[in-house]
Amino acid sequence: AGGKRGLFAGLVVRELEAPSPAALAAVGEELASGEPAKAERAASVEAARAEAAAKAEVEQALKAKLCETQAVLSAAVGAKKAAEKAAKDFGPEMKKASADLAAADKELAERLAVLATFEVLAARTMPPPPEPEAPPAEESPAEEKAEGEAPPVEAPPVEGDAVMAEATA
């Protein structure tokens, strides 16, 4: 290698390959003075790594919570849609129930009117039986013909007739 380059080139290469003691001492001093800064930087790197690891754990926990929240949200949206459909379907059912209620109320009113009439009739008292008439002393031939027919009997007024007249009116 030295033959091809020449003597000067060989000398320069040797000088470059063999560092000078002054240069080595300067580099040694620089390395020695940089040792505390290196330790500070290493501590800073370790603190940053620990902080990054802690933040990664927090990120994983938040991602898990996000997944849970999204699942709950999805379930809530489904429940909301089901409730809206049920409310929409409830409208016709409510109308039918209202119509059924109106019909039942009408029927109840009719039955209460019939019941009131029955109570009025049930409260009536029967008139005392009519007193037997005295046998006629003599019967005439005209009366004999009418014997086959019963004379019309009028019932005496009974207590509650006025109430009955009002109930039927």
Side-chain angles (χ1 to χ4, degrees):
K4 288 184 179 178
R5 293 189 190 165
L7 194 57
F8 180 72
L11 181 65
V12 170
V13 169
R14 235 181 309 143
E15 285 295 320
L16 287 175
E17 286 178 353
S20 69
L24 284 175
V27 169
E29 281 180 31
E30 189 177 326
L31 287 176
S33 70
E35 201 59 39
K38 178 182 173 186
E40 284 179 27
R41 286 190 299 273
S44 172
V45 167
E46 282 303 312
R49 282 185 183 153
E51 185 179 343
K55 287 186 178 182
E57 288 177 18
V58 169
E59 179 185 16
Q60 291 300 322
L62 290 175
K63 282 182 179 180
K65 193 169 186 176
L66 175 65
C67 288
E68 289 175 22
T69 304
Q70 286 175 335
V72 169
L73 176 64
S74 177
V77 167
K80 178 185 174 217
K81 286 180 181 178
E84 286 174 344
K85 183 180 183 319
K88 182 180 174 186
D89 292 344
F90 184 68
E93 290 178 22
M94 186 62 185
K95 285 181 184 177
K96 184 182 181 312
S98 293
D100 291 346
L101 176 64
D105 283 344
K106 182 180 177 186
E107 184 179 342
L108 176 64
E110 291 171 359
R111 289 182 183 213
L112 288 175
V114 169
L115 180 63
T117 303
F118 171 77
E119 287 175 350
V120 166
L121 292 174
R124 288 179 74 179
T125 57
M126 292 296 287
E131 292 185 23
E133 293 182 26
E138 284 185 30
E139 291 186 19
S140 67
E143 288 179 351
E144 287 179 12
K145 286 183 181 178
E147 244 181 57
E149 298 176 18
V153 177
E154 273 191 41
V158 178
E159 189 179 315
D161 278 345
V163 174
M164 182 62 183
E166 288 177 13
T168 56

